[in-house]
Amino acid sequence: MNATVIHRMALASLSGTLPFPEIVGNLIAEGVEYYRVDYVTRQFAFYGADEEVVTAPLVIENLPPIAPTLNVDALKAAIVDSQQQGQKFPRFSTRAMEAGVQAYYAFLRGKRVTYFGRNGDHHVEWFPGAQPNMNS
């Protein structure tokens, strides 16, 4: 994994200079299998297949405190606004924290994101079009 490229993708997320699908494509091209966004430590961590890890600071001004309980409805509304309305990452982060998200893992190969609340609760959100057929 090229740490310079990965750091550029983290900065592009923070600044909103690249669309999210392009950022994901670049991360996959660099060998990133999954990444973690940690609102407590204000850090990104990108994980490769060879157990290599690249970290980057998550610097967003005026983030709120993390709500004590996970509000899945509020989280889903923030996710939909990002997917359908082009909401930028800093605004999504604010809304996720207000919805009680302390951290999340985005599994690029697995095409899903797992969001974690402060009490151990979690919510899994599939990438658009990736959810498996539960009727099979």
Side-chain angles (χ1 to χ4, degrees):
M1 294 190 318
N2 183 323
T4 301
V5 172
I6 292 169
H7 281 123
R8 276 200 314 251
M9 293 304 101
L11 288 173
S13 291
L14 293 168
S15 66
T17 55
L18 289 177
F20 183 68
E22 187 174 336
I23 292 170
V24 169
N26 289 333
L27 292 174
I28 290 170
E30 287 304 319
V32 175
E33 287 192 333
Y34 62 99
Y35 65 88
R36 175 180 43 85
V37 174
D38 189 329
Y39 292 123
V40 176
T41 64
R42 304 291 204 268
Q43 187 176 55
F44 294 101
F46 302 89
Y47 301 86
D50 297 334
E51 299 181 12
E52 185 177 3
V53 180
V54 174
T55 60
L58 192 161
V59 181
I60 301 172
E61 291 185 27
N62 302 316
L63 285 173
I66 299 165
T69 57
L70 185 62
N71 180 333
V72 174
D73 290 335
L75 173 59
K76 285 182 176 183
I79 292 166
V80 167
D81 282 349
S82 293
Q83 292 171 341
Q84 296 179 2
Q85 306 300 324
Q87 174 178 243
K88 302 295 184 198
F89 180 73
R91 178 68 184 135
F92 170 79
S93 293
T94 294
R95 292 178 68 189
M97 293 171 73
E98 289 171 344
V101 174
Q102 71 172 356
Y104 64 87
Y105 283 86
F107 298 95
L108 303 180
R109 289 189 323 158
K111 298 183 179 177
R112 70 192 91 175
V113 181
T114 304
Y115 298 89
F116 296 94
R118 293 172 55 182
N119 296 317
D121 38 357
H122 67 281
H123 169 70
V124 175
E125 187 74 26
W126 291 86
F127 288 11
Q131 186 168 2
N133 184 351
M134 299 300 197
N135 297 327
S136 308

